[in-house]
Amino acid sequence: MRISTKCSIALHCLICIAVFEGRRLTSTVLAASTGSNPVVIRNLFSALQKAGILSVTRGTGGVVLLRRPEEITVWDVYAALEPDEPQELLGIHPHPSALCPVGSRIQSVLQEPYGEIFDAMRDKMQQITLQDLLKRWNDQVQDFQPPEF
């Protein structure tokens, strides 16, 4: 089981937006940085814009954060990109055998622990901000000179 990579691609873009603040960042530039497709970037940006995380001016490469990095959590990004998913991290198979003593009870056995796992994940994601990620990035670069776009 693996969570979608949309969140990590979006966080990568948000870090770029913060690092290259004031520079023209197009979906093509960010797609090259993330190793994805410009359409993917535009779709992610659409969801992040609806969530009030960033603003995009189409056609000009104008993208800016609407909140300070310390006000944007990993959970904010995840929830914006996965609006139908946030209440379920681990799925429970839907058709266990009612005739089996394990199958007939497996959903009720797993439901509460899975909910606890989800709550722990959400709580941790709410504690980590874009500013925390920027600090981690900053700690890993030395004498960084941004390229000209």
Side-chain angles (χ1 to χ4, degrees):
M1 205 279 317
R2 189 162 140 184
I3 294 176
S4 160
T5 60
K6 289 190 284 188
C7 189
S8 65
I9 293 170
L11 289 167
H12 181 139
C13 291
L14 294 175
I15 291 169
C16 282
I17 292 165
V19 168
F20 301 115
E21 185 177 8
R23 296 186 187 235
R24 186 173 181 264
L25 293 175
T26 64
S27 58
T28 302
V29 168
L30 291 167
S33 179
T34 61
S36 63
N37 185 294
V39 173
V40 169
I41 303 300
R42 287 191 291 273
N43 289 336
L44 295 176
F45 280 7
S46 176
L48 293 172
Q49 190 166 4
K50 286 178 190 167
I53 294 171
L54 55 77
S55 175
V56 178
T57 304
R58 298 210 181 273
T60 65
V63 60
V64 295
L65 298 177
L66 292 176
R67 299 182 343 220
R68 296 186 329 243
E70 57 271 18
E71 297 173 337
I72 301 169
T73 67
V74 173
W75 176 256
D76 294 334
V77 174
Y78 173 79
L81 301 174
E82 305 285 358
D84 298 330
E85 297 272 331
Q87 296 307 311
E88 185 178 298
L89 174 63
L90 301 168
I92 300 174
H93 52 296
H95 305 293
S97 172
L99 302 176
C100 172
V102 175
S104 65
R105 292 169 181 84
I106 195 65
Q107 291 180 337
S108 63
V109 167
L110 294 176
Q111 188 171 1
E112 185 175 337
Y114 278 13
E116 291 171 6
I117 292 166
F118 172 81
D119 291 344
M121 179 198 77
R122 182 194 59 228
D123 292 347
K124 189 62 178 176
M125 290 172 81
Q126 288 174 331
Q127 294 171 16
I128 301 168
T129 66
L130 180 58
Q131 184 62 43
D132 296 328
L133 300 178
L134 283 164
K135 183 182 179 326
R136 286 178 172 269
W137 176 82
N138 233 359
D139 291 346
Q140 294 182 20
V141 296
Q142 296 175 351
D143 302 322
F144 172 71
Q145 295 297 318
E148 293 298 320
F149 291 111

